[in-house]
Amino acid sequence: MDAPAASTQVPLLVAEQVRVTFGNFTAVRDVNLTLRGGELLGLIGPNGAGKTTLLRALAGIQPLARVIDGFVIHGATGQALRTDLKTPAFRLFSELEVVQNALDLPDRDYLRTWEVAGAAHADRDLIDALDAVLERDLPQFAGNEACDKPPMSRIPARMVQHAAYDSMKVWIEKGKQPPGAPKIQVSPAPSEGERRVIARDTNGNALGGIRLAQFAVPVATDTGENSGGQFCNIYGSHVPFDQMKLDRLYPSHAAYVAAVEKITESNLKAGFITKEDAEQTVREAQQSKIGKGQ
């Protein structure tokens, strides 16, 4: 297969040897990147890698050059966000970001925050992909860590992220603001320096937020919180319901699928998922064994 042709657009942004330090600590070390018109650039890295710090450094030139059309930020809980830029910014929060959020910023003309109930900071599909790379290159780091709860929330937050990208494109091109979204319900932190506490139902699932069908029609307790190993906090947790509970909740397969279809249609209409992901959600429900007593 031929490699994709390189863009012939003149670069809008060229960053060379970008370094950000805080005292003796280097948060960003010698980063080089080029951004051309029409390109979508993603920054991928583990917690604490310096992704947000790099974005903030690059944003320093935004008032002068306006080279970036919009920002989609996965996280950014404690960082101050500029209010003087007329550049759309989207923040996507898992449950981890919700409890860590020190700046509870309201939506405004150029800022939207969507919070996904049950979601972990690292989507299951992302971890599966990373594990494949680690097994190949760094096998000593591959596999799940020993976490206090069974790891890996199964809530596909990537579906909401897909919708956020679509909304951002419309926001940039037509000036149409994305819809606001309900917040995950939280209680204030018990004391200074502690995290806020998410309100949960009798199953242990969060109240409020964007509720994908995989969460709103539950087959497990899925959270974005965990502890134990170094990365357990970004994995979240997943504890499946036992068969007796599933039979009680969904006396038939048709009842389960109908519930999934209803929630999915509502999320599609609200703009929280794309048509393609809505179809995938319903298809997976139809192919499942939920409601069949198996």
Side-chain angles (χ1 to χ4, degrees), residues 237-261:
S237 65
H238 173 80
V239 181
F241 295 162
D242 60 36
Q243 190 62 50
M244 184 178 298
K245 185 168 186 174
L246 288 174
D247 291 343
R248 186 171 67 252
L249 290 171
Y250 311 111
S252 71
H253 182 64
Y256 171 70
V257 172
V260 169
E261 289 176 335

Side-chain angles (χ1 to χ4, degrees), residues 56-254:
R56 294 180 69 190
L58 296 177
I61 68 169
Q62 183 71 358
L64 301 176
R66 293 299 302 274
V67 298
I68 299 173
D69 295 318
F71 297 90
V72 177
I73 307 168
H74 184 38
T77 56
Q79 293 87 357
L81 298 180
R82 299 185 62 146
T83 60
D84 59 330
L85 300 182
K86 294 183 178 180
T87 303
F90 229 128
R91 296 192 306 172
L92 296 173
F93 280 6
S94 70
E95 287 189 10
L96 178 63
E97 283 78 49
V98 169
V99 297
Q100 290 179 336
N101 188 18
L103 290 176
D104 194 10
L105 301 175
D107 285 350
R108 51 181 185 254
D109 288 347
Y110 294 95
L111 176 66
R112 283 293 181 275
T113 300
W114 283 1
E115 301 175 355
V116 186
H121 179 78
D123 188 280
R124 173 64 188 265
D125 284 357
L126 171 63
I127 296 301
D128 286 346
L130 288 177
D131 276 348
V133 175
L134 290 174
E135 287 175 2
R136 183 192 68 195
D137 299 334
L138 297 168
Q140 66 271 30
F141 296 113
N144 297 337
E145 298 184 69
C147 302
D148 294 335
K149 298 178 182 178
M152 303 297 177
S153 168
R154 302 302 196 270
I155 306 306
R158 68 185 182 282
M159 292 187 174
V160 178
Q161 189 160 343
H162 296 163
Y165 289 140
D166 282 0
S167 292
M168 176 60 78
K169 184 175 186 294
V170 175
W171 200 359
I172 291 169
E173 294 179 351
K174 300 182 179 180
K176 181 181 178 182
Q177 297 175 358
K183 303 295 185 183
I184 291 176
Q185 296 180 25
V186 295
S187 300
S191 59
E192 186 176 352
E194 295 187 44
R195 292 179 173 182
R196 302 190 300 173
V197 178
I198 292 177
R200 300 189 180 278
D201 63 18
T202 56
N203 293 321
N205 285 323
L207 300 175
I210 293 176
R211 306 175 73 79
L212 295 173
Q214 293 86 344
F215 186 76
V217 189
V219 297
T221 299
D222 283 290
T223 82
E225 300 183 86
N226 209 333
S227 56
Q230 181 180 2
F231 296 109
C232 291
N233 67 323
I234 70 170
Y235 292 161
S237 65
H238 173 80
V239 181
F241 295 162
D242 60 36
Q243 190 62 50
M244 184 178 298
K245 185 168 186 174
L246 288 174
D247 291 343
R248 186 171 67 252
L249 290 171
Y250 311 111
S252 71
H253 182 64

